[in-house]
Amino acid sequence: MQKIRKTVKKAIANMAKRSASMEANTACPCVNFQPKEPQDVKKLRKF
C-alpha cells in the first residue's frame, strides 16, 4: 500500500511539473490578460 501511494505521489508531482513547464512557455490567448507568473514557474522557461 505504501509503495502504491509513493508511486502515485511521484506521478502527480511529475504531471504538475510538466504542466507548469508547458504553461511557462506559452502565452495567454486572451488579448489583454496575462497573469503574473511565480518565480519558480519562470525558471522553467526554455527561452
Side-chain angles (χ1 to χ4, degrees):
M1 193 67 158
Q2 292 291 339
K3 189 175 182 180
I4 294 171
R5 285 185 183 178
K6 190 174 183 180
T7 304
V8 170
K9 285 181 183 180
K10 283 184 180 182
I12 291 171
N14 191 13
M15 285 188 294
K17 188 172 182 178
R18 285 185 182 188
S19 175
S21 177
M22 184 178 68
E23 292 296 324
N25 292 309
T26 58
C28 182
C30 299
V31 177
N32 292 329
F33 183 70
Q34 184 69 31
K36 295 268 184 183
E37 294 178 334
Q39 289 293 344
D40 291 338
V41 174
K42 285 185 178 182
K43 291 178 185 177
L44 297 172
R45 287 185 180 173
K46 294 182 180 178
F47 56 91

